[in-house]
Amino acid sequence: MNTPLPDVPEVRVVGLPQLTQGFDLVERLDLQMHLKVHGPLEPMTGERLAQLTEEISLRGRGGAGFPFGQKLRAVAKSAISRGVRPVIVVNGSEGEPACRKDTVLLNRAPHLILDGALLAAEAVGARTLVVAVTRNSTEISMRAALAERGLSDRRGQRMRARVVRTPERMVSGEASSVIRAINGGPALPPGRRVRASDSGVGGAPTLLSNAETFAQVAVAARIGARRYSNTGTGQEPGTVMLTISGAVLRPMVVEVPTGVPLRYVLQMAGAPPEPQGVLTGGYHGNWIDSAAVQDAVVSRESLSAVGGSLGAGAILPIGPETCPLGEALRVANWLAAETAGQCGPCKLGLPAAAGGLADVMNGGGPAALEALREVTQAVKGRGACKHPDGSARFFASTLSAFTDDLAAHVLYGGCGRETTGVLPLPLPGYQESEESIPSGEKVLIDWTLCQGHGLCADIIPELIRINPDGYPSVADAVVPVHLQGRAQRAVRRCPALAMRIEQTAVPTSLARPGLPVSRRRELGSGRG
């Protein structure tokens, strides 16, 4: 069984709401309702905003946990030394199937996010704001929010703002991937480490942080450091947003003060009383056992102390009825498929590690286990982006957390349990592309000409994947509007002139004004 999470699952709150204030009143807080609930927000200088975020120990909520005040100071310093205006980027890219907390905020409290982003923009003198999103629902919500504020990307405006769509992939949410996509390239890591605070969007110093972080900035700016710190622990004040899924009766996003026992949050979602294990921090995170769950509270420090991680706020328990190695193998195969394909550890190491785990489960014995450990170790610290390291951490955590099951598979050929598939993964196929706003166009390949160069899959991985035989597999789906430009680029760059785009029928209810519904059109092919 594999049931992907909805875009906006049930939302709950422990204690008094801060980020989710007003959610009990309306499904989405438009600008008018947002101001009624939260009130106006006064601008701050860069130094005052940096001090505020340092007083509340605000760290990025996208997984890396970098101090926001330090990032803000670095961007301001770089912008002043270079004499250029910086850029603000809201990273709302959630490419991990177990994460929905940023999607919930983007859909239901878009103006709280914009408040924090515009406050930071005013503080450092930025005149450009970009919001990166992965889903159709978040794109619609954020475009509407910008329109409600009268913001657009037209020249001559004091603040230019736009929404950029990125693919729903693990590697596309990394900061360098988001910046590369905004700059017009593929949403993949560039393979070289460049600090965004030095050179980001358009080469300008860029302040990039995830959606929840900017929402936290907006809350803290309104209520002040002292009141903000009255909630949560002294070391990590405030609330955090968590996505709870896996073996639970009610998958949900919950806003919870730091310091609340993890077991209480799991009980809210209907997790097993004694889970076999809990994956903390998502698919780049760590497993903890049932005993650790009893000791842990919701905070970076506490979870780290018991071998877990807060990461991007995804918490996934599994019950005693499923094979934990089988669950891990499903995730391992997905992680291997999410490779950016730009370095050996990612392109070769992750599929090898997934294959090694399968060998262990299929009776490969101690030799297979040793080979898996060697591959996992070889991947660490050698990737061009963070995906290999995060995936290696997941593999290593799986091997250390489920030693009894590992021994049963290595020594006796199995643990006797089926894999029930409780960890959420995307359904096979290309559902997200099909659900997106349709353009009425399809990508077609002339197989008599195709030579398997693979450039098309690099440009539009959402629609085209490379099969084991080295040739592309094309999704039988209408090209979404947000992918039209890249689809046309793939056609122009095909060295074998094997690709074309044809117009197809779109249901009238989905057609946009001015979009031809039935006219058949070929855009032709071009050489890259």
Side-chain angles (χ1 to χ4, degrees), residues 48-128:
R48 179 68 196 102
L49 183 58
Q51 288 178 355
L52 171 66
T53 58
E54 288 165 353
E55 288 170 6
I56 63 173
S57 303
L58 180 62
R59 291 178 173 268
R61 303 298 172 86
F66 196 82
F68 184 84
Q70 187 175 333
K71 188 182 295 187
L72 185 73
R73 292 183 189 278
V75 170
K77 181 179 179 181
S78 181
I80 292 171
S81 65
R82 292 178 52 190
V84 297
R85 289 195 180 275
V87 176
I88 306 297
V89 175
V90 176
N91 187 0
S93 301
E94 249 180 347
E96 186 170 343
C99 292
R100 287 295 185 274
K101 52 104 172 175
D102 285 324
T103 298
V104 163
L105 290 174
L106 290 161
N107 272 287
R108 300 196 61 181
H111 289 285
L112 197 63
I113 298 166
L114 289 179
D115 274 351
L118 292 170
L119 188 69
E122 185 69 23
V124 298
R127 293 292 180 263
T128 302

Side-chain angles (χ1 to χ4, degrees), residues 239-291:
T239 65
V240 296
M241 299 285 284
L242 302 176
T243 310
I244 315 296
S245 64
V248 297
L249 297 177
R250 301 178 300 279
M252 63 177 59
V253 168
V254 56
E255 182 183 10
V256 56
T258 56
V260 168
L262 179 61
R263 65 180 182 276
Y264 177 76
V265 179
L266 292 173
Q267 287 170 4
M268 285 180 59
E274 294 188 7
Q276 184 176 186
V278 176
L279 183 58
T280 59
Y283 295 156
H284 276 177
N286 296 287
W287 290 97
I288 60 175
D289 60 22
S290 210

Side-chain angles (χ1 to χ4, degrees), residues 249-477:
L249 297 177
R250 301 178 300 279
M252 63 177 59
V253 168
V254 56
E255 182 183 10
V256 56
T258 56
V260 168
L262 179 61
R263 65 180 182 276
Y264 177 76
V265 179
L266 292 173
Q267 287 170 4
M268 285 180 59
E274 294 188 7
Q276 184 176 186
V278 176
L279 183 58
T280 59
Y283 295 156
H284 276 177
N286 296 287
W287 290 97
I288 60 175
D289 60 22
S290 210
V293 170
Q294 301 304 312
D295 296 333
V297 302
V298 177
S299 76
R300 291 183 184 278
E301 182 180 16
S302 175
L303 287 171
S304 178
V306 297
S309 63
L310 183 59
I315 307 293
L316 303 106
I318 61 171
E321 70 284 347
T322 191
C323 172
L325 298 185
E327 295 289 344
L329 179 59
R330 295 175 60 249
V331 175
N333 287 328
W334 179 79
L335 289 170
E338 288 295 288
T339 173
Q342 299 183 137
C343 66
C346 198
K347 187 176 182 179
L348 305 176
L350 297 187
L357 182 56
D359 289 343
V360 169
M361 292 191 61
N362 294 329
L369 177 58
E370 183 59 31
L372 173 58
R373 293 188 192 279
E374 289 180 1
V375 170
T376 300
Q377 187 63 36
V379 168
K380 290 182 180 178
R382 298 177 53 237
C385 70
K386 297 175 183 177
H387 185 53
D389 278 356
S391 301
R393 183 164 51 250
F394 172 80
F395 281 106
S397 176
T398 300
L399 297 182
S400 63
F402 302 109
T403 53
D404 290 346
D405 295 270
L406 198 60
H409 280 276
V410 170
L411 300 177
Y412 307 111
C415 65
R417 286 171 292 182
E418 294 184 359
T419 302
T420 59
V422 296
L423 299 182
L425 290 172
L427 290 171
Y430 303 86
Q431 284 74 15
E432 174 64 20
S433 295
E434 293 182 52
E435 292 171 0
S436 299
I437 303 170
S439 67
E441 298 174 347
K442 276 193 175 183
V443 173
L444 300 176
I445 294 180
D446 186 338
W447 300 110
T448 65
L449 297 176
C450 180
Q451 298 174 7
H453 292 95
L455 292 177
C456 53
D458 291 338
I459 297 172
I460 44 171
E462 302 88 346
L463 296 178
I464 300 178
R465 302 283 177 93
I466 298 299
N467 285 329
D469 61 5
Y471 283 84
S473 172
V474 184
D476 184 21

